[in-house]
Amino acid sequence: MNLLLLFNDDFVDFVGDANRVRISGRRVEHVRAVHRARVGDELRVGVVNGQLGRGVITALSDDALEMDVALDQAPPPPLPVTLVLALPRPKSLKKVLAAVTTMGVKRVVLLNTFRVEKSYWQSPLLRPTALREQLLLGLEQAGDTVLPEISLRHRFKPFVEDELVELARGTRALVAHPTAAHLSPRDVQQAVTLAVGPEGGFIPFEVELLQAHGFEPVSLGVRRLRVEHAVPALLGRLF
């Protein structure tokens, strides 16, 4: 945890020039066990969807922590990318969500495709509270506060034809495909809409439909990567 995230409910008072917060649960356990913090120590803090700052511990027990915090810094800038991702298996999804949140992606569309197993859509990980938990872990790692927006789309063709064109308007539209003739570009100086398929890639019909709507097929070369490795690799090349 590189950042102690705070929620609106944590704020209990206003003292001088600082806000007083009181937290409990996992965050206190982490502060005690990992940071080995004591009263008087200073921690980096941030309010979810708000500003960053510093907090000074004023009280610490086994189950609660109080701090006076000053918030005066903006969160880091986001990556200018929309990620359209074929829903991966749940274990991979956890890794991808944490990774892309850490890297600064702020809009993710989880999409059904031909090769996506139907059972994946029944995963408890897709519940809002479970998704939020993974995103918060990514924010803590990155020192960011702004939660990404996650959308679920169960029908590939209607989404591409009815929503994706507008979503990608004004961006460079790329579809990651293992057999694409061209490598993914590097250091793109504009916003990107990036479509990434499931293990094995999009089927030909899906690639053709994406191409028909302005998406350029690109690859990462001859090596085939798992989704949780391919997505960070693509983002690293693009930005």
Side-chain angles (χ1 to χ4, degrees), residues 18-184:
N19 293 283
R20 179 155 294 174
V21 299
R22 189 176 193 275
I23 66 173
S24 59
R26 178 186 69 87
R27 291 172 293 169
V28 174
E29 294 172 6
H30 187 93
V31 168
R32 291 176 59 87
V34 178
H35 292 280
R36 300 184 183 277
R38 300 178 179 179
V39 172
D41 286 353
E42 186 177 83
L43 299 175
R44 191 164 183 240
V45 300
V47 180
V48 173
N49 292 324
Q51 288 190 303
L52 299 163
R54 310 297 297 187
V56 177
I57 299 175
T58 58
L60 179 62
S61 65
D62 290 342
D63 57 2
L65 177 153
E66 290 188 4
M67 287 189 300
D68 289 342
V69 302
L71 304 164
D72 55 5
Q73 303 168 32
L79 282 187
V81 61
T82 294
L83 176 63
V84 179
L85 178 66
L87 182 66
R89 62 175 59 91
K91 288 184 178 180
S92 294
L93 178 59
K94 290 178 67 172
K95 297 175 183 177
V96 172
L97 288 179
V100 301
T101 303
T102 300
M103 296 181 75
V105 177
K106 297 304 178 187
R107 180 184 290 176
V108 180
V109 178
L110 298 176
L111 180 63
N112 193 42
T113 70
F114 182 80
R115 290 191 171 124
V116 171
E117 295 286 344
K118 291 182 179 179
S119 61
Y120 295 172
W121 290 101
Q122 308 306 316
S123 170
L125 185 58
L126 292 181
R127 295 171 183 165
T129 54
L131 287 172
R132 181 179 170 88
E133 179 181 350
Q134 298 306 313
L135 303 181
L136 291 173
L137 292 174
L139 293 180
E140 290 175 348
Q141 174 64 34
D144 194 359
T145 62
V146 181
L147 283 165
E149 173 188 333
I150 308 292
S151 303
L152 309 182
R153 294 294 183 268
H154 295 265
R155 300 174 65 197
F156 179 85
K157 188 169 183 286
F159 169 73
V160 173
E161 294 180 337
D162 300 338
E163 296 185 56
L164 191 54
V165 172
E166 186 61 33
L167 195 66
R169 190 179 303 279
T171 71
R172 184 167 182 180
L174 303 173
V175 50
H177 192 56
T179 60
H182 300 288
L183 289 175
S184 169

Side-chain angles (χ1 to χ4, degrees), residues 3-25:
L3 178 72
L4 181 61
L5 282 174
L6 304 173
F7 306 91
N8 290 335
D9 290 346
D10 295 328
F11 288 80
V12 295
D13 200 359
F14 188 79
V15 182
D17 295 327
N19 293 283
R20 179 155 294 174
V21 299
R22 189 176 193 275
I23 66 173
S24 59

